[in-house]
Amino acid sequence: MMPAPGQKNDCGVYTPHETLELPMPRKGWRGMPLADIDLVQTPEGWRSCFGYQFMTGDCCGRGSPLTDHDRAFPTRELAVSHSATALRKIAARRADREAKLVLEWLDNLEPVQADLFALL
């Protein structure tokens, strides 16, 4: 039985409060999403982890559970930013369509702030 969101199981793995997900862009696909970010709020702060599954080229992927080993942040936005930055670095090294979709998704999750001083 899965613990309630925010609770740990016997192995120390949290059940996420929220998952931000980019589905795989394949009709009928029933596997992992193309990319996701899990979030949990703990007494120490917000924790996040990310996963991805690129099916073109070298078919690489990553997924990990949320644990106390994941860094705690004071806000949800900082936790999302932490995982988004790490995922962005991975996707930016690739030149395939899936990586482009991940980068676009991350831009929508966390828009790049305009340089306010560039116009001065």
Side-chain angles (χ1 to χ4, degrees):
M1 185 168 134
M2 294 270 307
Q7 302 297 311
K8 287 191 279 189
N9 67 14
D10 294 339
C11 297
V13 175
Y14 288 101
T15 300
H17 280 112
E18 180 182 5
T19 298
L20 308 174
E21 186 174 291
L22 173 63
M24 186 66 74
R26 293 188 179 185
K27 186 175 182 177
W29 176 259
R30 301 204 190 286
M32 274 182 64
L34 182 52
D36 63 4
I37 297 174
D38 287 333
L39 297 159
V40 67
Q41 187 176 18
T42 66
E44 299 80 27
W46 285 89
R47 298 176 192 275
S48 68
C49 68
F50 67 94
Y52 62 90
Q53 184 68 38
F54 294 121
M55 301 297 287
T56 56
D58 57 1
C59 293
C60 69
R62 173 187 187 240
S64 64
L66 278 164
T67 69
D68 283 333
H69 297 290
D70 294 301
R71 185 173 163 193
F73 294 91
T75 66
R76 176 189 175 278
E77 291 74 24
L78 287 173
V80 170
S81 180
H82 176 73
S83 284
T85 298
L87 182 53
R88 188 179 305 278
K89 287 178 185 176
I90 292 165
R93 291 190 297 242
R94 302 178 62 89
D96 54 55
R97 179 177 176 268
E98 292 171 334
K100 181 181 178 198
L101 290 171
V102 169
L103 291 170
E104 289 171 358
W105 177 66
L106 291 171
D107 287 344
N108 287 326
L109 279 182
E110 192 180 53
V112 176
Q113 295 292 322
D115 186 353
L116 299 177
F117 299 104
L119 301 174
L120 298 178

